[in-house]
Amino acid sequence: MNPTKLVAMLSLFIAWLALPLTVSQPARAEGEDAKKILKAMSDYVSGQKHVVLKYDVDIEVITPELEKLQFTSSGEAALHRPDKLRVTRTGGYTDVELVYDGKTVTVLGKHTNTFAQLELPGSLDQMIDRLRAEHNIEMPGADLLLSNMYDELVAGVIQAKHIGHGVVDGVECEHLAFRNQETDWQLWVELGATPIPRKYVITSKTLAAAPQYTLRIKSWDTSTEPDAKSFTFAPPEGAKSIEITALADVGELAAPAEAQKE
C-alpha cells in the first residue's frame, strides 16, 4: 500500500478513536456547570433567613380520554427559617391556605370554610417531608424552600445540562435542564448577585402525554421580615374542623378524575 495512503488511513482511525472523548468532555463540563449553578442558587436561597414571594402555578392533568387540561393558580408564600411557613394558592377551582408555626400545620379550604390540623413539630424540612410521606400531600414547589435543597434536587439525577441563557418575566436567567428516571425538570436561575429560581418545570415521563407542572416566581423579597402573626392560624368565622383526609384540594397536583368533574 502507498505509504501516503497508509498514513492517511491511520490518521482517520486515530481521529475516529478520539471522537468519543471530544464529544463527551463538553457534555461532562456542561453537566458540572449546571450543577455548579444549581449549588450556588441553593446556597443563596437556603441562606435567606426569611423570604416573602409571589408565584403562579400551571398544573397539567390528563383525563381518561387522554385530553390534556391545564389549571392555573396564583399565590403568596412567607417563610421564616427554620420552622415557620404560610402559603396561599388561589385559582378557579381552589382557594387554600397552609400555615405552619413550628408545631402545628393547618390547611384551610376557603371555598368550603373547613380546616384540618396536624401536629408536626420540627423544622420546615421535616414538616414538608412528613406531609409527603405520611399524608400523601405533594407540594413540588416546596423543594425550592428546603434547607437541603441541592441534595434533594440532585438526588436521582442521571443527566444535567446548562442550556444557556433565557429570559423569564423580563429577567435574564441561566437555563438548566436535568433528567431523572421518571421525570425531566428545568430550572431558570436569575443571573447576578441574587441567584433565585424564577421558573421551575417538572415533566412526568411515566404518564401518557407527559403532563407538566410549572412554577413561576413573580416577586422575591428578603428585606421585609414577616410579622409573627403571619404564622398564627385564626379560624374564620363559622369554619369547621375536619380530618385532613376529608379536605379537598390540599396538594398542588390535581387528579384526572377531579379534572373531569371540573
Side-chain angles (χ1 to χ4, degrees):
M1 179 179 289
N2 186 299
T4 303
K5 290 185 177 179
L6 180 59
V7 170
M9 289 178 65
L10 286 173
S11 298
L12 288 172
F13 182 67
I14 292 170
W16 177 78
L17 288 176
L19 184 59
L21 294 176
T22 60
V23 172
S24 62
Q25 285 176 349
R28 284 199 300 270
E30 186 180 69
E32 291 169 2
D33 193 25
K35 289 185 177 180
K36 182 178 179 180
I37 295 169
L38 179 65
K39 184 66 165 61
M41 183 208 75
S42 302
D43 290 345
Y44 177 81
V45 172
S46 60
Q48 305 306 306
K49 185 69 174 179
H50 47 78
V51 178
V52 177
L53 61 88
K54 296 182 180 180
Y55 68 91
D56 291 337
V57 168
D58 297 326
I59 302 173
E60 294 181 347
V61 298
I62 310 301
T63 70
E65 290 78 23
L66 298 182
E67 180 183 8
K68 181 182 286 190
L69 301 176
Q70 187 177 86
F71 297 89
T72 300
S73 56
S74 298
E76 299 181 4
L79 72 87
H80 194 293
R81 300 189 192 280
D83 59 0
K84 303 289 190 297
L85 178 68
R86 188 181 200 103
V87 182
T88 65
R89 182 167 59 90
T90 304
Y93 303 95
T94 185
D95 194 353
V96 64
E97 182 176 54
L98 181 148
V99 182
Y100 182 58
D101 61 6
K103 296 180 180 179
T104 304
V105 61
T106 303
V107 183
L108 170 67
K110 296 181 180 180
H111 280 169
T112 57
N113 202 24
T114 56
F115 67 93
Q117 293 184 311
L118 296 169
E119 296 300 318
L120 296 177
S123 67
L124 179 60
D125 292 11
Q126 291 169 326
M127 182 272 289
I128 292 172
D129 288 343
R130 289 186 63 185
L131 281 182
R132 287 173 171 169
E134 299 175 14
H135 303 282
N136 200 31
I137 297 176
E138 285 290 344
M139 299 185 292
D143 291 339
L144 303 180
L145 303 178
L146 297 173
S147 62
N148 61 340
M149 182 201 316
Y150 180 78
D151 294 335
E152 289 289 329
L153 290 175
V154 299
V157 167
I158 57 178
Q159 188 180 47
K161 294 180 181 178
H162 180 200
I163 303 300
H165 288 183
V167 176
V168 178
D169 293 329
V171 178
E172 189 173 6
C173 301
E174 300 281 16
H175 181 191
L176 312 178
F178 300 86
R179 307 204 79 184
N180 294 358
Q181 290 292 344
E182 297 184 352
T183 62
D184 291 339
W185 54 280
Q186 300 174 73
L187 196 62
W188 284 257
V189 180
E190 182 173 332
L191 283 168
T194 56
I196 63 174
R198 282 292 179 177
K199 185 178 177 181
Y200 182 38
V201 177
I202 303 173
T203 303
S204 298
K205 298 188 290 186
T206 58
L207 299 177
Q212 290 185 327
Y213 167 93
T214 302
L215 170 70
R216 294 181 182 84
I217 305 296
K218 309 296 289 185
S219 67
W220 181 280
D221 179 13
T222 58
S223 62
T224 304
E225 183 172 358
D227 188 278
K229 294 180 180 179
S230 300
F231 310 108
T232 301
F233 176 72
E237 184 177 354
K240 180 182 178 182
S241 176
I242 62 175
E243 294 295 322
I244 192 73
T245 53
L247 191 62
D249 198 21
V250 176
E252 289 187 83
L253 302 182
E258 293 172 351
Q260 269 195 308
K261 293 177 184 177
E262 295 168 350

